Amino acid sequence: MSAERRCVVLAVSGSVAVYKACEVASTLVQKGYRVPVALTPSAARLVTPVLFRAITGEAAVVDEFAPDAPAAMTHIALADAADAFLVAPASADILARLALGLANDLVTTTALALRPEAKRLFAPAMNARMLANAVVKRNLEGLRSLGWQAIDPESGHLACGVEGPGRLADPAKIVAAVERALAR
Ligand SMILES: Cc1cc2nc3c(=O)[nH]c(=O)nc-3n(C[C@H](O)[C@H](O)[C@H](O)COP(=O)(O)O)c2cc1C
């Protein structure tokens, strides 16, 4: 692991858009970033950590209590390493838990332990009605007010079969937002 490579910790939550997170990870790696991955248990039911480990060459972890977890306290190791912490895709659930300050899995615990100077970004992805829900809107605003940067979802075909807002931003846009944040 080279010390000068900047580190983007990619947090993946349980959205149908997880497949796009693979492209985000791959693009960041090709641009020279370290990209360790933390998955929520729901995300790991949709895609396995093995795929992210293959794409990034880094640990991809769901359960830091597992005997084979990569560090004694993986949430601290990830938080120490993160120049940027990117939640993509960000489900309604992870946004709520981050907004509340919960620490009930590796993703949320790492988020709480981030260094103050680490850039915090999230890219929501969900059904249009979920996105329009007042509680979700409140959580989005709450995170923005805490210094998180939203990478806005796009409008278009959603996996649930409707057209509308809630589609995860294009992977290239997500990567560009991370690079802009790191350049600030
Ligand atoms: C196939 C499938 C796709 C899902 N897609 C989404 C989604 O795009 N956005 C979302 O907010 N929830 C989605 N969910 C629901 C979340 O997975 C669920 O709320 C879960 O508790 C999220 O947990 P997490 O935030 O810890 O990953 C989906 C569930 C399933 C089974």
Side-chain angles (χ1 to χ4, degrees):
M1 242 181 276
S2 104
E4 65 275 9
R5 284 174 70 205
R6 302 196 83 186
C7 178
V8 179
V9 172
L10 174 62
V12 180
S13 68
S15 157
V16 71
V18 283
Y19 68 96
K20 292 188 187 172
C22 299
E23 191 175 338
V24 170
S26 174
T27 306
L28 287 168
V29 168
Q30 289 173 58
K31 284 176 173 284
Y33 297 97
R34 285 190 55 210
V35 188
V37 179
L39 297 93
T40 66
S42 300
R45 296 181 74 182
L46 297 169
V47 61
T48 85
V50 175
L51 182 57
F52 285 102
R53 200 172 64 210
I55 290 170
T56 64
E58 295 271 353
V61 186
V62 182
D63 177 11
E64 68 169 328
F65 290 89
D68 60 351
M73 285 191 277
T74 305
H75 63 288
I76 300 297
L78 289 176
D80 283 349
D83 296 299
F85 184 77
L86 167 65
V87 187
S91 68
D93 178 78
I94 197 73
L95 293 172
R97 291 191 288 121
L98 290 170
L100 273 176
L102 297 189
N104 56 357
D105 68 2
L106 177 60
V107 169
T108 49
T109 311
T110 303
L112 284 185
L114 290 169
R115 294 175 296 124
E117 63 269 30
K119 309 298 179 185
R120 294 152 167 80
L121 304 97
F122 62 84
M126 67 195 73
N127 164 272
R129 283 200 303 272
M130 292 170 81
L131 188 64
N133 188 294
V135 176
V136 173
K137 284 185 173 169
R138 187 188 66 193
N139 291 333
L140 291 170
E141 281 316 309
L143 286 169
R144 281 197 184 95
S145 73
L146 292 168
W148 288 76
Q149 184 190 330
I151 305 166
D152 289 333
E154 296 171 358
S155 217
H157 172 78
L158 302 178
C160 51
V162 301
E163 298 283 324
R167 214 176 135 83
L168 182 69
D170 188 71
K173 281 191 189 163
I174 294 175
V175 170
V178 171
E179 292 210 283
R180 273 197 307 276
L182 284 170
R184 283 199 290 270

